Amino acid sequence: IAYITMGLPIVLLLVFLARAVTLPGASEGIQAYIGTWDMNILFDRPDVWSTAVSQIFFSLGVTFGVMTAFGSHCPRKSPAVENSIIIAVSNSAFSLISGFAVFGSLGYLKYYEGADSLDDVVKSGPSLLFGAYPSVLSTLPGGIYWVRLLFLNLFLLGIDSAFALTEAVLTVVKDTVIGRRVTNKQIVFGTTSLGFLCGIVYMTDAGLIFLDTVDFYVNFIMILIGFSKSFSAGWIYGMEEQIKVLGAKPVYAYIITTFGSIMVASLAWFGIRGDTTLWGFVVFGMTYGSGIYYIYRLLQEKMMEEPEKNWTMESLRYELTLRNVDNLKDTLADFVGPIPAIWAVLIKHVIPPVLLILFFNLAHAQTNELESEFGNYNGYATWPYQIIGVAVVFLACAVVLLGVFKPQLYECLSFDAEEGEHTITYVDAERGTTYKLEPDVVNETKAVVKEEEGSGYVKLEDEKGTASKPAAATTTAPSDKTIESSGYVELKDQKAGTTTSDEQVETNDYVEIPEKGRDVSPESSDEFVKIPKNIP
């Protein structure tokens, strides 16, 4: 199905493109598309920066969990960076080609109606796609069939989006405690039913207004989620370790300095009327510089307090600014292939600050009457359009803030919420698939099968460093070749009789490996991790 719903729109787009560029007046439309540049719009309407970013987020599905869901189905070591570049370039190419098809047709419409400019025949927004473009196609020979092809194309693209969004929800829900109790069909049915109910409003006479309003306010949500994700990866990941090494003051001071200075500068840039660009940078420099000086003093004190660790200012700066994201990069590289070093810099020091500025920039956008566009978008009535849009934005903010200040509220979404304190991982070399066993199967411990290089083995890993770290471990390979490892225990895939150098006890249901090393008595069941003989 996916080959049809994704492949056919590409073919139809090429057909529309070929027809559009051969119409009278098409060159004038294409000239308006790529030949006329008005750079002043970037300064006169700064909100276009924010809406452009949110549009590419929407087009790629970056902040919807779609890419995460699809990526979770890729084999281990799949080149994530290469795949990301291919997806981004392909998406932009599709959009660029679509622009030639649309503007070529609009140039023809201007010629057909004898209008003075393109602005006289079409306005931006939903009316462009659902009004002007079908009008162009209807004037062609066999026009009704062209219109039908257009809406078939839109339907297929919509179905593709629905597939992706549903897969994102399905993947997230199945990774939770609640999701393990329901089937995929039940989750899909619930997701699509909710989507159907929410979509009914777009079928009313005011459907296009609702669509335009929601499209505007969703921009805030996508930028907010993008900031939250990048902030979590770049700043929250590894924070506990940073605090252990450096202390709490430098870590928190660095966060406050970075984002506090951006907030203060944004007030100058967007909160004061007039050209305050220079003043904003001055305020940013003073605020950021003061914070960095304070952090520098804290790091100097750290060097003097711990002379035995031979700290240098360079090593302390690295611990504060890049250590956590470098560790994250190395951890991810074990699953998604090589990641360039620049990624660590971007995910911490570039992307979160830029997205925060874009969020404030969009919030400052003004109407032609110099009123805030937030709550007054496009002059639509306050109720129901503006109220619904604003409420959705605040609801998204509330969800994020609850996760920050009350993370325990989301424990039901964590796979570990109802499980024991140990986490056991089964690494299946041949199948390369992730299996999640019920917690009571392995003494209230999570078991997961993941891909690992090798052949015919399941490697047992315990994140608490117990079962995976006996004094020594030896396994017998299928060829009777003995493999030794000091860091973990390897068990032959779905075989109960594999031997180790540690004591091992076989029962009807389990192979038991001593949890604390070779000196543990096998009769004491509390000191063993139970492993099912047959992994489902």
Side-chain angles (χ1 to χ4, degrees):
I1 295 178
Y3 288 107
I4 296 175
T5 58
M6 191 63 247
L8 186 57
I10 295 176
V11 175
L12 291 176
L13 173 62
L14 296 177
V15 172
F16 286 126
L17 174 65
R19 189 68 183 97
V21 297
T22 58
L23 293 173
S27 59
E28 189 171 351
I30 294 174
Q31 175 68 21
Y33 178 44
I34 61 170
T36 303
W37 293 71
D38 184 7
M39 303 301 292
N40 291 327
I41 196 70
L42 300 177
F43 302 95
D44 299 337
R45 290 287 307 277
D47 57 291
V48 299
W49 294 86
S50 301
T51 52
V53 169
S54 60
Q55 176 59 41
I56 199 65
F57 278 6
F58 181 83
S59 183
L60 287 170
V62 170
T63 56
F64 290 88
V66 173
M67 293 297 105
T68 307
F70 288 164
S72 69
H73 296 294
C74 292
R76 187 170 179 171
K77 293 289 188 179
S78 293
V81 174
E82 179 182 331
N83 291 342
S84 300
I85 294 174
I86 292 174
I87 292 170
V89 171
S90 300
N91 176 78
S92 297
F94 191 90
S95 300
L96 184 66
I97 294 172
S98 299
F100 280 100
V102 171
F103 276 84
S105 300
L106 294 180
Y108 164 74
L109 184 61
K110 173 181 175 295
Y111 166 84
Y112 182 82
E113 295 185 355
D116 295 329
S117 68
L118 290 180
D119 292 335
D120 296 331
V121 298
V122 65
K123 299 294 182 183
S124 62
S127 60
L128 171 62
L129 183 60
F130 295 104
Y133 200 31
S135 298
V136 172
L137 298 177
S138 65
T139 64
L140 302 177
I144 187 62
Y145 298 107
W146 285 104
V147 174
R148 287 169 178 168
L149 281 177
L150 171 65
F151 281 96
L152 172 63
N153 198 24
L154 296 177
F155 172 77
L156 293 175
L157 292 173
I159 286 293
D160 270 335
S161 297
F163 287 162
L165 293 172
T166 303
E167 181 64 32
V169 175
L170 176 64
T171 301
V172 171
V173 174
K174 289 301 290 184
D175 283 343
T176 66
V177 175
I178 299 174
R180 290 177 302 169
R181 304 189 182 104
V182 294
T183 64
N184 289 359
K185 290 183 179 180
Q186 290 173 324
I187 297 174
V188 171
F189 177 78
T191 303
T192 53
S193 297
L194 180 62
F196 171 77
L197 294 176
C198 293
I200 290 177
V201 68
Y202 300 120
M203 300 168 60
T204 65
D205 292 338
L208 284 179
I209 298 179
F210 275 112
L211 177 63
D212 191 27
T213 305
V214 171
D215 182 63
F216 170 74
Y217 285 104
V218 163
N219 292 329
F220 291 91
I221 299 175
M222 287 189 289
I223 293 178
L224 175 65
I225 294 176
F227 167 77
S228 300
K229 286 186 173 183
S230 56
F231 180 79
S232 299
W235 295 83
I236 302 301
Y237 179 85
M239 180 184 288
E240 292 182 358
E241 185 63 26
Q242 278 189 315
I243 292 175
K244 289 180 183 178
V245 174
L246 301 174
K249 283 186 179 181
V251 175
Y252 291 131
Y254 190 43
I255 295 175
I256 295 172
T257 296
T258 301
F259 296 99
S261 58
I262 290 176
M263 292 180 183
V264 173
S266 296
L267 288 176
W269 285 325
F270 311 126
I272 302 175
R273 300 200 175 197
D275 187 3
T276 59
T277 304
L278 179 59
W279 282 110
F281 281 108
V282 170
V283 170
F284 174 79
M286 294 176 60
T287 308
Y288 188 78
S290 300
I292 292 297
Y293 176 75
Y294 173 69
I295 295 169
Y296 177 78
R297 296 296 300 270
L298 291 175
L299 296 182
Q300 280 187 323
E301 293 177 5
K302 183 72 174 177
M303 291 174 59
M304 292 185 291
E305 290 173 359
E306 300 178 351
E308 71 280 359
K309 293 187 177 181
N310 296 321
W311 287 116
T312 64
M313 186 56 66
E314 182 179 354
S315 63
L316 287 173
R317 283 200 305 266
Y318 175 73
E319 289 287 343
L320 182 64
T321 61
L322 285 174
R323 169 70 74 181
N324 67 317
V325 282
D326 272 347
N327 289 342
L328 176 59
K329 178 177 72 70
D330 294 339
T331 300
L332 292 176
D334 290 336
F335 298 91
V336 301
I339 300 175
I342 190 63
W343 178 86
V345 178
L346 293 174
I347 200 66
K348 183 165 186 174
H349 298 291
V350 178
I351 297 175
V354 168
L355 289 179
L356 186 61
I357 293 173
L358 290 174
F359 183 84
F360 287 122
N361 175 46
L362 185 59
H364 174 69
Q366 294 180 331
T367 65
N368 294 331
E369 291 75 26
L370 299 181
E371 295 180 334
S372 174
E373 202 157 22
F374 188 82
N376 299 284
Y377 174 68
N378 217 15
Y380 295 141
T382 302
W383 174 259
Y385 310 114
Q386 311 294 347
I387 296 293
I388 292 177
V390 172
V392 170
V393 173
F394 279 106
L395 178 62
C397 292
V399 170
V400 172
L401 292 176
L402 280 175
V404 173
F405 297 104
K406 293 287 185 180
Q408 60 271 22
L409 294 176
Y410 297 112
E411 285 184 351
C412 62
L413 301 179
S414 171
F415 192 82
D416 297 321
E418 297 180 358
E419 298 177 2
E421 59 183 14
H422 293 171
T423 299
I424 291 181
T425 305
Y426 288 104
V427 187
D428 186 340
E430 293 183 336
R431 284 173 294 186
T433 315
T434 300
Y435 293 85
K436 296 180 178 178
L437 307 183
E438 295 295 330
D440 57 351
V441 172
V442 194
N443 279 352
E444 298 185 349
T445 310
K446 181 175 70 175
V448 182
V449 179
K450 293 183 179 178
E451 178 188 9
E452 178 72 10
E453 295 181 0
S455 177
Y457 284 86
V458 174
K459 183 171 71 176
L460 171 66
E461 296 176 342
D462 187 336
E463 292 182 357
K464 295 200 69 177
T466 51
S468 61
K469 298 185 183 296
T474 307
T475 60
T476 303
S479 61
D480 295 330
K481 178 182 177 181
T482 298
I483 301 174
E484 296 185 355
S485 171
S486 60
Y488 50 82
V489 176
E490 287 191 344
L491 300 178
K492 192 173 172 183
D493 187 359
Q494 295 191 4
K495 300 289 185 181
T498 308
T499 60
T500 72
S501 61
D502 290 335
E503 293 174 294
Q504 175 176 297
V505 178
E506 294 189 18
T507 68
N508 291 331
D509 298 316
Y510 298 95
V511 175
E512 297 184 343
I513 303 298
E515 184 174 352
K516 299 178 181 178
R518 66 173 72 246
D519 296 329
V520 177
S521 170
E523 286 78 19
S524 178
S525 60
D526 291 336
E527 296 173 320
F528 286 81
V529 176
K530 294 183 178 180
I531 303 140
K533 287 182 178 180
N534 295 313
I535 302 172

